[in-house]
Structure formats: structure tokens, C-alpha cells
Amino acid sequence: MSSRRPSSTTRTSRDDEPNAITDQGELVREEDDAEAAKHEHRPFSHGWRDPAIAGARAAYMKAIAGGTLLTIVAILAILSIYWGAFWKLDDHLHNLHVVVADLDGGSIGQFVTQGLTSSNFTGSPKQLTFDVANRGQFASTQDVERYVLNEHVWAAVVVESGASQRLTAAATDASYNGSLALTVIIETARNENAVPVYIQPYLESSLRTLGAAFALQRARQLSGSDASAILGTAPQALTAPLGYTVRDLRPFDVPVAAAVDFVGLIYLLIISFLLTLLNYNARAASRLDTLLNLRSLILIRLIVPFAMYFAVSWFYSFISLAFQVPFSRWYGDGGFLIYWSMSFIAMCALGLAVEALVTILTPRFVPYFLILWIISNVSVAFYPLELLPGLFKYGHASPFYNVELAVRSLLFGTKSFLGLNFGVMVAWVAVSCVTIPLFSVLIRTRDRRAARRRIEEEKLER
């Protein structure tokens, strides 16, 4: 019996040997993992290919690849908006209307009216649309000017009263000036890009062609003796009987205004974006996002941006004043206050939209919205909406477009839409004042649920 005990003891130890080896192996692996972890977190000591930072390297490459792909998608989807706004502008030239006002009623008036409304000058998408004024619609050139200033049309061609009679009497009038027969009325400040690039050149080219045709027709109608007499007394009545004079009612005569009504708007949006990030990072650094109750958080998210925009918009507006932008030219001393008010409400409209979306997108992805926000506004602020595809009609509700209209009215005296412009901005602010609390509630609810899950997991681990 005593001889069996050693064998039993030996057998038992052999049975336990695999477990001992397993436990020892796990202990070794745990020590290796601990050492690797310790090595991995050692700062400033790793090469790019070091296996100890494989996890960090993989996370970095994943972030870079994902961000690059998202940027490519943003380029294709968002920048296409801007490119599309400038694509085939000529194909929409027919959306720009020009009124033809015949105050003469004679041969010149009939010739010009019939000529401009013929297929040679109008009727196709790449031609201006000429609308003939009804007889008696305008009593004078001043009436036509008011019609243009009220922006019923983009320009006007006026056949001046008595033009045909003056030409008939030109055989004995050496002072005859054919350029007084027609008046081209434009308003460059309404859009300094479209009027001098598309409207004015087209009108002048058309009228030069008509003038040459009229001179040839008249020369053929005159007998040799009459032609000789006119050449002797008033040669211009034969060589250039039909000309024109350009009258720019609202010239774009403040070059620095380009920084106020276009480029400056981009800066205004960028400043609003910076203030939004400042507000976000200040809340995160102070941990107010987690310390405040929901009501207090929503209040500071609404009140603090308004306070920042109020202060910053003053200094933004003072830059234009310092460079002598003439705000008092049409609205007196109140012009600058109107401009500051528009800058302030525009900053609120632009910035609060970012303030709302940073809640959902976080600072990591909100720059992509900034790109969309800039491009969608800039695309409708350079050329008239009539020249852009129908998709861009949204421009009537865009902040940039409305600020631009307000600035043009303040600086150049174009038609005022200030009530509408401010109304659009207030609407944007109102939408943001609804979405900011809504998104705050959604994120706070999500965070509370996540916190409860962490507490429950900690309890289960214990």
C-alpha cells in the first residue's frame, strides 16, 4: 500500500502540470503586454515603423484617409456650386430686360424700335431681351430713368423727342450732333460685374450696327444734290446721323466698396466662425458644457454670441469708415448706423447657424459646413441672379445677397430693399434660435444616456 502512494502523488502532479504551465504563460504574456504598453506610451522615443505604436499609427492613417476622402467629396459636391454659378452665363442673357422708349415717333424711332426687336438683336438665349414701351407709358426721359432706378429693367434705350425733326433740319444746321438722338440709360452700381461686362457692351455694339445701317439707308434715299448740300453744311448728318449717349444713373464710383459688398462678406463669415469656435472651446475648457444644467447652457449659447457679435461688428464696420466709404451720401448721418446694424444682424445670421451646427458636427467636422456656407453665399453675390441657372434662385434668401443689396443702396442710391433685407436676416436668426436649443437638448440627452451606461458597466465590473 505504501508503494502506491508515491505513484498517486506523481500522477496528481502530472495532471496539474498543464495548468501550471498555462498560468505561467498567461503571467508572462501579461508581463509582456504591460511592458509593451509601458514602452508604447514612452514619449519622443518611437520611429514610424516601431511595432509598439502600431495602434496609434493605424488610428492616424484611418483619420487621414477618412478626412482626405471627405475633403474630396466636399470639393466635388460643394465647389461645384460655385463653378456652376459661372457656367454658361451667356446662355441666360435673355433674362436681362431692356426697355426701348420711343419718345420721337418719327423715322428714327421706328427704325430703332424695329431694329432692336428684330431677330438680329433679341430673341435667343444669348441676347438681351428688348421690351418696347407702350405709347404714352413715358412722357419724358426722366420717367424712363425712374423706371430703370426702380429696377423694372436693367437698362433703357430712349429715342429722344424730336430726333427725326432735328435730322431733317440738319441740312442747314452745322451743329447737328447725331449722338443726341439716342440715350442709353444704365445703372452700373446695381451690379458692377454684369452691367459693364454684358449689358453696356451689347447695347453699344447693337446701336453702332443700327447707326451704320441707318446712315447707309439714308444716303441711298437722298439725291446727289441733297447729299452734296448736307456734306457741305452738316457732314455728320450724312455720315453719322444716328448715334447715342450713355447715361449712367448710379456709377460704381467707390472702388473700396468692392471690399464692403463682396469680399468683406467672406471675412464677416470667417469672423463669425472664429467667434463660434471661441465660444465652443471656452465652454469645453471650463467644463461648463457638463457643469451647467440644460437651461443655463442654452441661455449662454444664445446670449454670449449676441454680445460678441455686437462688439465685434462695431470694429468690423469702423474699418470701412476709416477708409472713407461714403455711408452718408444717400442716407445722411444715419447711413453708417444702418450699415453697422446690417453688419451686426448679418453676423448673427451667419454665426448662429454655425453655432447651431457645431453642436451636431463638433469642431472636427464643422469646417466642412463652413465651406458649404461660404460657397452657397458667394455663388449668388457676384452676378445677377437672372444670369444664373434657376437653381440659384435661393439667393433671394441668402445672407450675402441681402447684405449686398443693402450696401448698394447705402453707397450708390440703388433701389432700397432694406426692410426685406433685414427681414431675411431676422428670419435666419430666428431659425438658429430654435435649432440651438433643439440640438442642445438632443446632445444633452445623448450624453446622459452614455453616462448612465458607463455607470452601469462600472457596477457590473465591480
Side-chain angles (χ1 to χ4, degrees):
M1 293 181 63
S2 60
S3 62
R4 293 179 181 175
R5 290 178 182 171
S7 64
S8 175
T9 303
T10 304
R11 189 166 51 246
T12 302
S13 61
R14 287 177 180 175
D15 292 339
D16 292 341
E17 186 173 324
N19 293 331
I21 294 174
T22 302
D23 294 341
Q24 185 178 5
E26 291 179 354
L27 181 60
V28 171
R29 281 196 297 273
E30 290 177 359
E31 291 177 352
D32 290 343
D33 292 341
E35 182 64 24
K38 180 179 179 181
H39 182 63
E40 181 181 358
H41 291 89
R42 186 182 303 158
F44 317 124
S45 61
H46 302 284
W48 172 253
R49 297 182 180 181
D50 193 334
I53 61 168
R57 187 169 57 245
Y60 172 79
M61 293 305 298
K62 182 180 179 181
I64 290 296
T68 302
L69 179 61
L70 184 58
T71 303
I72 292 173
V73 172
I75 289 174
L76 297 177
I78 299 176
L79 295 189
S80 295
I81 299 174
Y82 187 73
W83 264 252
F86 290 83
W87 187 54
K88 294 186 177 180
L89 289 170
D90 292 347
D91 288 352
H92 302 93
L93 199 60
H94 65 283
N95 290 326
L96 303 181
H97 288 250
V98 178
V99 67
V100 181
D102 180 10
L103 305 181
D104 173 55
S107 59
I108 291 181
Q110 294 175 3
F111 184 86
V112 172
T113 300
Q114 293 174 1
L116 290 178
T117 55
S118 69
S119 58
N120 293 329
F121 300 104
T122 191
S124 76
K126 295 186 177 183
Q127 294 175 323
L128 293 175
T129 297
F130 291 99
D131 301 323
V132 179
N134 297 325
R135 186 171 298 277
Q137 182 177 354
F138 302 111
S140 64
T141 303
Q142 288 71 30
D143 289 343
V144 182
E145 291 177 353
R146 284 190 289 269
Y147 192 73
V148 175
L149 289 175
N150 285 326
E151 300 188 0
H152 296 296
V153 291
W154 277 88
V157 176
V158 180
V159 184
E160 295 292 348
S161 178
S164 298
Q165 295 178 358
R166 287 192 294 273
L167 179 60
T168 302
T172 58
D173 185 4
S175 65
Y176 177 78
N177 185 356
S179 64
L180 300 179
L182 305 178
T183 301
V184 176
I185 300 175
I186 59 175
E187 189 182 11
T188 304
R190 185 177 175 184
N191 190 288
E192 70 278 12
N193 302 304
V195 174
V197 174
Y198 289 100
I199 298 175
Q200 185 175 351
Y202 188 92
L203 289 176
E204 293 189 3
S205 174
S206 300
L207 293 179
R208 282 196 298 268
T209 301
L210 283 179
F214 184 80
L216 180 61
Q217 175 182 295
R218 188 163 186 271
R220 288 172 177 173
Q221 293 173 346
L222 293 173
S223 63
S225 58
D226 291 339
S228 299
I230 293 174
L231 285 174
T233 57
Q236 190 180 28
L238 187 62
T239 59
L242 180 60
Y244 60 88
T245 300
V246 177
R247 186 176 302 169
D248 193 348
L249 302 179
R250 297 291 185 267
F252 192 84
D253 54 359
V254 184
V256 73
V260 182
D261 70 356
F262 184 68
V263 180
L265 299 180
I266 301 176
Y267 302 148
L268 186 69
L269 176 49
I270 293 174
I271 292 169
S272 303
F273 174 73
L274 293 176
L275 293 177
T276 298
L277 290 185
L278 171 63
N279 190 17
Y280 184 95
N281 292 327
R283 294 196 311 270
S286 61
R287 298 188 296 117
L288 285 179
D289 274 341
T290 56
L291 294 175
L292 292 176
N293 58 41
L294 183 59
R295 179 177 179 276
S296 297
L297 177 63
I298 292 174
L299 285 177
I300 68 165
R301 293 197 64 192
L302 290 175
I303 295 174
V304 172
F306 278 104
M308 290 192 297
Y309 300 152
F310 183 88
V312 174
S313 61
W314 272 111
F315 291 92
Y316 171 84
S317 302
F318 280 139
I319 292 178
S320 299
L321 193 64
F323 284 91
Q324 301 180 355
V325 175
F327 292 109
S328 61
R329 185 154 65 164
W330 296 94
Y331 290 83
D333 294 336
F336 176 75
L337 289 177
I338 296 174
Y339 171 67
W340 165 77
S341 300
M342 176 56 68
S343 299
F344 168 63
I345 196 67
M347 188 172 285
C348 293
L350 295 166
L352 288 176
V354 183
E355 177 71 31
L357 286 175
V358 74
T359 314
I360 302 296
L361 300 177
T362 72
R364 181 181 179 185
F365 294 105
V366 78
Y368 291 98
F369 169 72
L370 178 66
I371 297 174
L372 173 62
W373 202 209
I374 291 176
I375 294 299
S376 61
N377 274 279
V378 168
S379 298
V380 295
F382 197 79
Y383 282 112
L385 297 182
E386 292 88 339
L387 284 179
L388 309 185
L391 171 68
F392 293 90
K393 297 301 181 185
Y394 74 82
H396 291 291
S398 71
F400 275 26
Y401 179 79
N402 283 274
V403 175
E404 186 183 47
L405 289 182
V407 170
R408 293 181 188 280
S409 178
L410 290 171
L411 300 186
F412 303 107
T414 58
K415 186 177 181 180
S416 174
F417 297 95
L418 289 176
L420 176 63
N421 302 146
F422 276 97
V424 170
M425 296 300 174
V426 171
W428 277 105
V429 173
V431 170
S432 296
C433 287
V434 172
T435 53
I436 288 174
L438 177 61
F439 293 160
S440 297
V441 170
L442 292 176
I443 296 301
R444 177 59 62 89
T445 302
R446 184 200 64 182
D447 292 343
R448 283 177 174 173
R449 289 175 180 173
R452 283 197 296 266
R453 282 197 300 268
R454 286 195 299 269
I455 293 173
E456 291 173 357
E457 290 173 358
E458 291 176 357
K459 288 181 179 179
L460 290 175
E461 290 177 358
R462 292 172 186 170

